[in-house]
């Protein structure tokens, strides 16, 4: 929720949170950190990260997303 507070306090800056997995499905990305036990590839996991990194200036702020889209706080 701190993301929302920052987004409200500093509207000129985008504050968003992202996870490289799928919260609703309990799926996560295979990485060295989890000994490659995840079901998703690094390419799949990077999709939401790239989406937020390339937001237009009128894009959303104060959101939490995974590769399936926005997640309710």
């Amino acid at each position: 929720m701190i993301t929302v507070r920052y987004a409200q306090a500093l509207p000129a800056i985008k504050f968003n949170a992202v996870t490289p997995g799928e919260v609703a499905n309990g799926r996560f990305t295979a990485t060295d950190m989890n000994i490659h036990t995840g079901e998703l590839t690094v390419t799949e996991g990077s999709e939401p990260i790239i989406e937020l990194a390339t937001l237009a200036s009128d894009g959303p702020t104060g959101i939490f997303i995974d590769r399936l889209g926005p997640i309710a706080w």
Side-chain angles (χ1 to χ4, degrees):
M1 292 286 229
I2 191 75
T3 302
V4 174
R5 301 274 189 219
Y6 279 128
Q8 292 168 341
L10 301 165
I13 301 172
K14 301 274 183 239
F15 289 94
N16 294 307
V18 63
T19 180
E22 296 176 354
V23 173
N25 299 326
R27 296 174 66 193
F28 55 96
T29 302
T31 65
D32 289 346
M33 185 180 255
N34 59 38
I35 315 167
H36 298 276
T37 57
E39 300 175 39
L40 303 172
T41 67
V42 171
T43 301
E44 291 170 321
S46 66
E47 291 169 357
I49 296 165
I50 293 168
E51 181 180 342
L52 286 184
T54 59
L55 277 179
S57 60
D58 62 345
T61 189
I63 63 167
F64 177 35
I65 69 166
D66 67 6
R67 66 183 301 267
L68 301 176
I71 301 166
W73 288 103

